[in-house]
Amino acid sequence: MLTGLLGLGASILGLAKKADDSETVQKLLEGVDHLNFTNEEKIEYIIEQKKLAEAGENSIRSVTRRILAVIIIGTAFAFLWLAVIFWKFNKPFSDFLLEVLKLDIVHRSVVAVVAFYFIYYGVGTAIDKWKGKK
């Protein structure tokens, strides 16, 4: 039993030595080092954050998100209105359009867009108003 524990301890020490030399451990240690900024690093961080804040709503990623949201919501509304229009003339086709809207992928994408855009902005506005009252 003692030899088993010694062998286990030796293998753990060997793994620890290998881990110390790995790139991942070195990156983690550098990250821990960045928790305590020097004055120069603080200035660089503030400048970087300002640049990110200025580019925030007009970055390519943000514009792409908005375009996708308009496409997803627009398609859902178009299917809904077509279902309403065809309900009087062609009930089976109207039912088919409503079934397409009930599909998981369509339903989840519409719910995701509504949640990430409308709820986010609604909650953000409510928080801003609440902070303004204090």
Side-chain angles (χ1 to χ4, degrees), residues 65-80:
R65 273 191 233 125
R66 281 187 243 143
I67 290 170
L68 287 173
V70 167
I71 290 170
I72 291 170
I73 297 296
T75 303
F77 276 128
F79 272 67
L80 184 64

Side-chain angles (χ1 to χ4, degrees), residues 28-69:
L28 286 172
L29 291 175
E30 287 175 12
V32 171
D33 177 48
H34 287 298
L35 292 176
N36 298 318
F37 287 137
T38 62
N39 288 335
E40 293 83 14
E41 289 173 335
K42 286 179 186 177
I43 292 170
E44 287 175 12
Y45 177 77
I46 290 170
I47 291 171
E48 185 178 323
Q49 292 302 314
K50 293 266 187 193
K51 286 180 185 176
L52 288 174
E54 290 172 0
E57 289 297 320
N58 293 320
S59 66
I60 293 172
R61 184 179 290 173
S62 179
V63 171
T64 305
R65 273 191 233 125
R66 281 187 243 143
I67 290 170
L68 287 173

